[in-house]
Amino acid sequence: MIVLGIESTAHTFGVGIVDEKGNILADERIQYRPQEGGIRPRESAQMMSERGAFVISSALKSAGLTMDDIDAVAFAIGPGLGPCLRTGAIAARFLALRYSKPLVGVNHCIAHIEIGKLSCGFDDPLVVYLSGANTQIIAYAGGRYRIFGETLDIGLGNLLDSWGRVVGIPFPAGPKIEELARRGSRFIPLPYTVKGSDLAFSGLYTAAVRAVEKYPVEDVAFSLQEVAFSMVAEVAERALAHTEKKELLLVGGVAANKRLQEIMHAVAEQHGARFAVVPMKYAADNGVMIAWTGLLMYKHGCTTDPAEPINPKFRTDAADVCWL
Ligand code: AMP
Ligand code: MG
């Protein structure tokens, strides 16, 4: 069984091709980069509509396959930015109808989880999913991927990117902030907001913006990371204690951060859980994770009607998990 998957939720148009054993036959991507500021959804979607077809064609070429070899076409149906999701969905629907292939609409967040499980050899982890737009603590329980804690306002990556923009770091700001933070030493108290099992980052953002008027930017970067990551660690630890999972998996673009990895590793160790970080190649958005999750779904009989609309607010815990 071979599945082609299309990712187009925000900044990346990615096409992956995988087989049933989890072999990756193709992984092609292009990324939209704003000239300044953050992502403009329509600009990103325009880039995707102009260049997406070439990405699909080069994925097939690099796998040495044609559409005849593909058993199903998967795409990210949500959550994400409407114009971007729609562009990928049109491409997927066209391929499915033109070549008479089943179509599979994949939840993007769950795809981050499934590619993490595949590449780290995990079965049933507590997942800490930290990306630009999403911040969720997730575990499989009672037939679904349940959310045990999440941000009530902006995503952790978004916090870093927005603060970065204020201090002159272009998108994506995470890596540069990590570097700055390594040079900081003085801890500046900033608002720490955990509400039950949920998090809020906007107060922290405002305080960190004000702090650069008084303190060296390295010290603010250091303190911002320490506070934000400690908040995540607190809710992750609570979920780990509650679910008693024996694996802790870190996924999403922010997972690249070494200081964050160190903190989460310590949390896992204290609870006797194995710890892994999704390989950097698959931490960011990509088509492979959509293809792999689509394959799991298709193998278990879940397909999507080509008339089904995209779902920009598709929640992790709203998806039917037919393959577990
Ligand atoms: P994603 O939305 O999953 O594609 O991830 C992108 C987000 O990851 C952006 O907000 C980046 O700033 C963030 N990011 C990437 N590398 C790092 C890093 N080393 N430390 C913190 N955040 C990072
Ligand atoms: Mg993502």
Side-chain angles (χ1 to χ4, degrees), residues 9 108 112 129 131 134 285 289:
T9 57
H108 171 90
H112 274 292
Y129 169 35
S131 68
N134 299 296
D285 295 348
M289 67 183 197

Side-chain angles (χ1 to χ4, degrees), residues 11 112 131-133 157-158 160-161 171-175 178 252-254 256-257 283-285:
H11 41 64
H112 274 292
S131 68
N158 201 219
L160 298 172
D161 296 333
F171 173 88
E178 180 174 12
V254 187
N257 190 290
D285 295 348

Side-chain angles (χ1 to χ4, degrees), residues 6 8 75 83-97 310:
I6 300 177
S8 75
F75 72 107
C84 306
L85 284 170
R86 227 165 270 128
T87 309
I90 290 168
R93 289 184 196 118
F94 168 77
L95 289 175
L97 293 171
I310 54 149

Side-chain angles (χ1 to χ4, degrees), residues 239-269:
L240 197 57
H242 174 72
T243 59
E244 298 182 331
K245 300 283 183 191
K246 290 294 160 220
E247 298 163 338
L248 180 63
L249 177 63
L250 192 55
V251 303
V254 187
N257 190 290
K258 290 282 182 292
R259 175 63 184 140
L260 176 75
Q261 292 177 10
E262 188 180 30
I263 292 172
M264 298 314 302
H265 193 170
V267 168
E269 246 176 5

Side-chain angles (χ1 to χ4, degrees), residues 73 122 287 317-318:
V73 177
F122 276 8
D317 52 8

Side-chain angles (χ1 to χ4, degrees), residues 269-319:
E269 246 176 5
Q270 287 212 340
H271 291 264
R274 287 163 63 212
F275 175 71
V277 183
V278 67
M280 282 311 110
K281 213 162 125 195
Y282 301 118
D285 295 348
N286 63 84
V288 172
M289 67 183 197
I290 304 299
W292 175 243
T293 310
L295 187 144
L296 295 174
M297 291 173 72
Y298 176 56
K299 212 165 86 177
H300 290 84
C302 308
T303 57
T304 304
D305 190 316
E308 191 169 323
I310 54 149
N311 183 356
K313 301 227 178 283
F314 194 5
R315 278 180 63 85
T316 306
D317 52 8

